[in-house]
Amino acid sequence: MLVVVCVKQVPDTTQVQIDPVTNTLIREGVPFIVNPYDTHAVEQALRFKDRFGCRVAAISMGPPNAEATLRKALAQGVDRAVLLSDRTFGGADTLATSKVLAAAIEKLAQEEEVGVVICGKQTIDGDTAQVGPGIATRLNFSQLTLVDRVDELDLSGKKIRVSRKLEGRHEHVEAPLPVLLTVVRELNRPRYPTVAMRLESADAQVEVWDNKVLQLDVNTIGLKGSPTWVSRIFSPERAKGEMLGDGVHDPEGAAQLLIDKMLEKDLLAL
Amino acid sequence: MTPQTVIFTTLLVASLLFFCWSVYRRFSLVFYGQPEERLDQPARRLSEMFLYAFAQLRVLRKPFGLNHFVIFWSFVILALANGEFLVNGVFPSVSLALLPEGVHRVLLLAFDVVSLLTLFAIAFSFIRRVVVKPPYLDSLYVKGRSPEAFLILSFIALLMLAYFGMHGALAALGVENDPAAMPISSLVGGWLAPHQSLIGTVYSVSWWLHALVLFAFICFLPHSKHMHILTAIPNCYFGALTWPATQPREKFEKGAVYGVGSVERFTWKDLFDSFSCTECGRCQAACPATNTGKALNPRQIVHAIKTNLLENSHALREGRSGTLPLIGDEGEGTNTEEAIWSCTTCGACIEACPVLIEQMPKIVKMRRHLVETESRFPEELLNLFENMEQRSNPWGIAPGERAKWVSTLPVKPFVAGETEYLLYVGCAGSFDSRAKQVTVALATVLNAAGVSWGILGKDEKCCGDSLRRLGNEYLFEKMALENVELFRERGVTKVITLCPHCLTTLKNDYRQYGLELEVVHQSELIAELVRSGRIKLDRKDDSMGRIAYHDPCYLGRHNDIFDAPRTLVQAATGTAVVEAERHGRNSFCCGAGGGRMWMEEFTGERVNHARVDELLAQKPDTICVACPYCMTMVEDGLKDKGAGQVRVRDVVEVLAEGLLRKNA
Ligand SMILES: Cc1cc2nc3c(=O)[nH]c(=O)nc-3n(C[C@H](O)[C@H](O)[C@H](O)COP(=O)(O)OP(=O)(O)OC[C@H]3O[C@@H](n4cnc5c(N)ncnc54)[C@H](O)[C@@H]3O)c2cc1C
Ligand code: SF4
Ligand code: SF4
């Protein structure tokens, strides 16, 4: 059985700024990281591998430099990495993204039966949490979102039991395989690659699949296949704070000042 | 040949054979270790050996060390007497009496006096172990009052008593060659003289006692902690010629093994160290981890290596790896992961060891194994490692914010040829709100003195100190290479650091990458500016009250900077700092070194609490530090102890405040 993890390369959001003129993200010089939720997805896939000996493939749709993201997954121990990269995939919204990813999973399934697909709960840049469910729907897989614990994977009975983390409660659910999971951070602690695995992954093969491989109708993917458009993107205005007092040299004075301010703004009642 | 000679000779030969066999069995194990260069510079090594093994400089640092000094030198002198005894037992015609009379007399006198001194020294040792009982004599598996310890002490005492028995009897019989040269033996002879019938028996009993104890000693020596009698002297010869503040590089290639996960992965010198430990307990008495109830005891680290090596010796000889794990559950020959992660790399153990054992580097080697091969480390470190790799700072703050502290000041970028010094601000000085104030103070002082300096701004990267001490050498190397490249590209040659950890990394660690920088800690540079009159402080600022100074390990012990911060405070305030009980070379860590800054402290007392208590004992109004980590630890400690009225200042802040007052 093959487990497929979807990983996305995202800009390090602590460093992203929005260009006030063009209203787009300034990606210039911003380092990319693996979408944090996806590292937990990779870890879960590797735990299935450790436990059941199944193989793990990581896939990512993105520009050629997204290869680094896949290399990291290889260093952690996935067996195969496929980068879905083609000009025609560019500018995709969640609908078009899930279409490409689903097609890639189907292609992988031609070689080996796919039992589980794992995605992050959402990304830290797009933040929609739609891609996972989109893939599941297209592939007609069971869909378990917000998974924070896997209780049992029963390969012979072809079912899975998990706990889902919802607002203020947990839900214990069971679903037949094949299944798509989207996972939250509480699920596990991602492993740190050993040096041997890093060196190993440095020259491991990352396969690149373009649309010649997937053979999708170009009108259904990328910008052309995306019914949603971003009309404007902006940072909410936030009044810049000012420094008052000197908390180090005169902590009492600073505290007094703070209390006065809070009283003045009616944030504190005497 | 008399029957006595036959028996004596047989026993002697047997003992010597057993001794040689034991020594061979044990020391041949050392060769299972990895190679390490410790044979270079023989002249320097000889002088180290003279200073530490023969003059016993380290031993004498503690008052009771004098006792050991006496025993050691008595041993050396009496080796001659015992040698004579052994040769004479086999060849009764050969003795020291064959030497010129003058020489022989001096020797006899020396033997007599030294034997008595040894008796006293042994008595003191007994008293120390039975009555005084210093706690550091006991470790988990080796007790100060163990049968072994008393057996050896008794052996030595019996040898001395037997010596006086023999020579007293000879004197009483009037057959001693030169009784005038042997005052104590003559005295014993005087006591025996009235009991003529007993003298013969006393002589033979003493002679046989002397012989048997000597044989037992020879046989027992290589199997006891007194093996250090054989190993300590060479260990001082093989000691590190430069202070081991840094760790060696690793070679990253496929199939390589990283760090030490089993005993034979240590170098031969590490293994030899373990055979040289005297179990004196000085390292454990100095260790901040041991002192605050952590699982770590540097002495036990060394002891575990020896125990593990001996336990696994059979397997090693057969070319297999041993079955007793080096890292694992608590055991005499096994180090726990908790112990390995408790080290602050403060170096107090290395400083304390009388026989120049290097304990801390062994701990870092095991960390390397855990991180690089096993990927097993405390949970908190995952974040640290990711932050370092992705954002080049421990907090994971956006690198773009590195130069934000500058906002209040005009600061120039470093340009080779135009600016003299690069101010390497470091992560704390750039991101930590309290340390940023120190950076501003430093900038103010540098400007006041007209120093030409600049920064790399948002191009500056983390130096990687914590990574290296935590054993993440792979990532450290990556960052070191980037920095070395950056410094070369920008033409940096002279660097001022705010933080002693940056100092040590740029100065000592990057040298391994072929980068020779002139790196100064801010306190050194400013002390020099004050001395040369480029900073003038006509009015002394006494607003800080009584100032206690805490020596940061990475400034003091690891980089020998003790005076500069003190001079600085003195110059600014007109008064000398008050010293904590442990200061200077023997300073006690704040608890943040070795990457401990980024880890939780679950066991025992907090190291910073212990340190703050010690500093508070001096009743200071202000505690001065010279390291951003120490700043955090001392401030937190004071808060926890409810001593928030005591201020914490970096030494440069004291000076900056003095300057501001002057200008105001
Ligand atoms: C309205 C709208 C318009 C957009 N327009 C553009 C545009 O014009 N140009 C542009 O570049 N981007 C655009 N994007 C961003 C892009 O569509 C999304 O980033 C992408 O579809 C994934 O959605 P998400 O980031 O919200 O993922 P989520 O649905 O939050 O992601 C959930 C999980 O799906 C998986 N996943 C998501 N994306 C990928 C991927 N690419 N490869 C592998 N696995 C993945 C991961 O496991 C992830 O954790 C737009 C987004 C929106 C919402
Ligand atoms: S370096 Fe410091 S903390 Fe580590 S073992 Fe030695 S004395 Fe203890
Ligand atoms: S390692 Fe050194 S200081 Fe520590 S107990 Fe052994 S001899 Fe003493």
Side-chain angles (χ1 to χ4, degrees), chain B residues 419-440:
Chain B
T419 2
E420 184 182 1
Y421 285 102
L422 166 70
L423 172 62
Y424 185 82
V425 185
C427 298
S430 302
F431 299 112
D432 177 89
S433 54
R434 180 65 185 91
K436 276 199 274 191
Q437 296 174 320
V438 180
T439 316
V440 172

Side-chain angles (χ1 to χ4, degrees), chain B residues 171-373:
Chain B
L173 291 173
V175 293
E176 189 60 85
N177 288 340
D178 196 353
M182 307 177 80
I184 296 124
S185 297
S186 303
L187 188 69
V188 176
W191 296 335
L192 290 175
H195 315 283
Q196 279 295 323
S197 59
L198 280 179
I199 298 175
T201 321
V202 168
Y203 179 78
S204 11
V205 168
S206 302
W207 193 87
W208 275 111
L209 184 69
H210 196 270
L212 294 176
V213 169
L214 209 51
F215 296 153
F217 198 84
I218 290 173
C219 293
F220 190 55
L221 190 70
H223 296 273
S224 71
K225 75 173 181 123
H226 284 77
M227 184 161 54
H228 81 263
I229 293 175
L230 304 173
T231 48
I233 298 173
N235 207 56
C236 290
Y237 181 86
F238 298 133
L241 291 179
T242 48
W243 176 258
T246 175
Q247 288 80 34
R249 282 181 71 171
E250 282 188 321
K251 222 185 176 142
F252 296 105
E253 56 193 11
K254 278 200 189 152
V257 193
Y258 309 103
V260 171
S262 53
V263 75
E264 75 280 6
R265 289 281 312 147
F266 277 118
T267 70
W268 68 267
K269 174 59 170 52
D270 289 320
L271 302 181
F272 199 76
D273 268 356
S274 80
F275 283 143
S276 310
C277 175
T278 71
E279 302 282 359
C280 72
R282 290 186 186 196
C283 55
Q284 103 180 38
C287 174
T290 317
N291 270 268
T292 55
K294 307 292 186 292
L296 168 65
N297 177 347
R299 166 187 179 186
Q300 172 52 27
I301 296 276
V302 177
H303 183 78
I305 294 173
K306 170 169 123 183
T307 313
N308 190 285
L309 182 61
L310 292 173
E311 286 275 320
N312 287 327
S313 59
H314 194 66
L316 289 174
R317 285 188 216 280
E318 288 178 355
R320 293 181 282 119
S321 235
T323 44
L324 180 70
L326 179 68
I327 304 172
D329 295 334
E330 178 60 57
E332 189 171 357
T334 304
N335 296 301
T336 64
E337 285 178 36
E338 199 189 337
I340 292 169
W341 291 114
S342 299
C343 178
T344 69
T345 67
C346 72
C349 48
I350 310 176
E351 181 66 39
C353 185
V355 294
L356 310 192
I357 287 171
E358 296 142 53
Q359 303 89 332
M360 178 266 273
K362 300 178 180 31
I363 299 175
V364 177
K365 288 177 188 181
M366 290 189 279
R367 286 182 170 186
R368 284 182 172 183
H369 168 79
L370 287 173
V371 173
E372 299 186 312
T373 305

Side-chain angles (χ1 to χ4, degrees), chain B residues 116-134:
Chain B
L116 184 69
L117 278 177
T118 306
L119 264 183
F120 278 114
I122 294 295
F124 288 138
S125 298
F126 261 106
I127 294 169
R128 176 161 176 257
R129 277 166 203 269
V130 179
V131 185
V132 185
K133 294 192 269 191

Side-chain angles (χ1 to χ4, degrees), chain B residues 89-102:
Chain B
V90 182
F91 308 105
S93 57
V94 183
S95 82
L96 289 175
L98 297 175
L99 289 171
E101 200 194 316

Side-chain angles (χ1 to χ4, degrees), chain A residues 12-15 31-34 72 189-196 198-201 203 246-249, chain B residues 252-254 258 372-373 375 377-379 382 385-386 389-391 398-399 434 437 472 474-475 649 657:
Chain A
D12 187 344
T13 46
T14 56
Q15 302 181 43
F32 286 99
I33 59 173
V34 183
K72 203 162 172 209
R189 178 185 159 206
R191 66 194 62 187
Y192 192 71
T194 64
V195 172
R198 282 198 198 234
L199 296 180
E200 205 66 53
S201 69
D203 13 276
D246 181 349
V248 174
H249 302 103
Chain B
F252 296 105
E253 56 193 11
K254 278 200 189 152
Y258 309 103
E372 299 186 312
T373 305
S375 190
F377 42 79
E379 212 171 314
L382 184 64
F385 292 164
E386 298 282 356
E389 189 163 8
Q390 282 164 11
R391 300 181 189 136
R434 180 65 185 91
Q437 296 174 320
N472 196 337
Y474 180 83
L475 209 52
R649 292 287 182 275
E657 282 179 37

Side-chain angles (χ1 to χ4, degrees), chain A residues 36-106:
Chain A
Y37 293 99
D38 301 356
T39 61
H40 298 270
V42 172
E43 176 61 31
Q44 185 54 54
L46 293 172
R47 288 191 184 182
F48 286 147
K49 174 181 170 176
D50 294 344
R51 178 89 197 277
F52 303 106
C54 45
R55 281 168 44 83
V56 177
I59 60 172
S60 182
M61 185 182 94
N65 69 10
E67 192 205 293
T69 297
L70 288 168
R71 226 164 255 302
K72 203 162 172 209
L74 282 168
Q76 283 171 303
V78 308
D79 304 292
R80 185 173 180 183
V82 182
L83 175 65
L84 310 166
S85 197
D86 193 305
R87 284 195 165 277
T88 60
F89 299 162
D93 67 2
T94 56
L95 193 77
T97 302
S98 61
K99 173 141 195 175
V100 173
L101 291 173
I105 295 167
E106 270 175 335

